[in-house]
Amino acid sequence: MSDAIDPDRIDAAVEHALTRRKDYGAERLDEADAAADPIAQFDRWLAEADERGVYEPNGMVLGTVDADGTPSSRTVLLRGVDDRGFVFYTDRSSRKGRALAAHPTATLLFPWYPVHRQVIVTGAVLPVDDAESDAYWSTRPYGSRIAATASRQSEPIASRTELEARVAELEEQYPGVDEVRRPERWGGYRLRPWRMEFWQGRTSRLHDRLVYARDRGATDAADGAWRLERLQP
Ligand SMILES: Cc1cc2nc3c(=O)[nH]c(=O)nc-3n(C[C@H](O)[C@H](O)[C@H](O)COP(=O)(O)O)c2cc1C
């Protein structure tokens, strides 16, 4: 593997990206058409992203802050959304899990490029309860259960061979799917939003940005009402 960087190749790649610059379509996001409830608006856009063929529209970039203040991000899959918030599953001892333990606040970014849309959700994150994590775990196939059990997510490992040996050992130990119980460190989180921004790309970069925001109460029931505000693009 060569470390040499060819500046001409980088220039050519940037040039290529620029020539592909697209003018976004005629779609718009008006206050009059936006749902009163941002979760309803999100459901609408998620369904449209799916109908229009966005690949994995439930893929979202989770942004967190490590204990020392360093930001980090990674893709996770949305596994449920309702009035209580957005749910995803992971290993809670991973880097993101440690970050969420230190700072239980995060953003979720849905990059729906093919439909010229983006949604960014910000809020407080709490682990879902064991019963809910168990219910989701029970829908996971054997291989995914073994993999989650074998992998200490985000920890270094000497080789792929070592990881595969651990998998083989677990497969022998637990030959049936129901025998592979949910590891305690693996489970769900729910992000309870206090800000949701909907971005609709428009012609000549004069995009629409509508933000729903609410004041945070001490309990869910004490959360304020959603307010809608337009931001400059
Ligand atoms: C399309 C896609 C979906 C993913 N879904 C998940 C997921 O639902 N849960 C998860 O823990 N990791 C998921 N990952 C892997 C994460 O991006 C990440 O590598 C892993 O969670 C470790 O992140 P961390 O070290 O920052 O904690 C997914 C990656 C991709 C590309």
Side-chain angles (χ1 to χ4, degrees):
M1 207 164 46
S2 161
D3 286 343
I5 294 172
D6 176 355
D8 287 345
R9 268 190 60 188
I10 295 176
D11 286 351
V14 172
E15 185 76 32
H16 182 65
L18 287 175
T19 55
R20 290 191 314 154
R21 178 191 291 258
K22 291 204 177 74
D23 204 15
Y24 295 148
E27 265 190 295
R28 48 203 290 168
L29 177 60
D30 288 335
E31 286 83 345
D33 299 328
D37 183 297
I39 300 290
Q41 180 64 31
F42 177 83
D43 279 343
R44 198 183 285 173
W45 271 25
L46 177 63
E48 287 174 3
D50 193 31
E51 282 159 19
R52 297 179 195 182
V54 172
Y55 179 71
E56 298 215 274
N58 62 327
M60 53 191 189
V61 178
L62 165 71
T64 54
V65 181
D66 290 348
D68 68 358
T70 308
S72 64
S73 54
R74 76 291 288 155
T75 307
V76 292
L77 295 178
L78 176 68
R79 291 300 183 193
V81 57
D82 60 23
D83 287 346
R84 295 169 300 164
F86 294 72
V87 174
F88 58 92
Y89 284 88
T90 192
D91 184 328
R92 292 182 183 141
S93 61
S94 65
R95 180 180 184 185
K96 74 180 88 51
R98 293 193 298 269
L100 289 169
H103 297 289
T105 297
T107 60
L108 301 171
L109 184 150
F110 294 84
W112 294 326
Y113 307 138
V115 292
H116 313 142
R117 285 176 175 176
Q118 167 177 267
V119 178
I120 305 174
V121 185
T122 310
V125 183
L126 281 174
V128 307
D129 63 30
D130 284 348
E132 195 172 339
S133 291
D134 283 336
Y136 179 65
W137 178 262
S138 73
T139 68
R140 300 191 94 213
Y142 180 73
S144 316
R145 293 192 197 195
I146 291 284
T149 310
S151 166
R152 300 276 168 163
Q153 196 175 56
S154 315
E155 293 302 315
I157 191 160
S159 66
R160 173 91 196 178
T161 311
E162 196 176 309
L163 186 61
E164 287 174 0
R166 209 183 283 167
V167 166
E169 217 173 276
L170 287 166
E171 285 171 346
E172 204 173 293
Q173 199 176 344
Y174 305 114
V177 62
D178 293 334
E179 291 165 62
V180 199
R181 309 298 298 273
R182 176 175 67 86
E184 212 171 304
R185 63 175 195 282
W186 192 97
Y189 287 99
R190 176 175 281 108
L191 183 146
R192 181 168 178 75
W194 64 66
R195 184 183 189 280
M196 290 180 64
E197 174 178 339
F198 294 79
W199 183 97
Q200 170 72 60
R202 294 201 48 188
T203 304
S204 302
R205 303 290 188 260
L206 206 57
H207 311 302
D208 287 323
R209 293 176 69 191
L210 293 187
V211 176
Y212 297 78
R214 64 179 172 187
D215 295 329
R216 279 173 278 165
T219 62
D220 294 358
D223 281 339
W226 287 107
R227 301 179 304 272
L228 187 62
E229 184 172 61
R230 176 175 289 268
L231 298 186
Q232 299 177 45

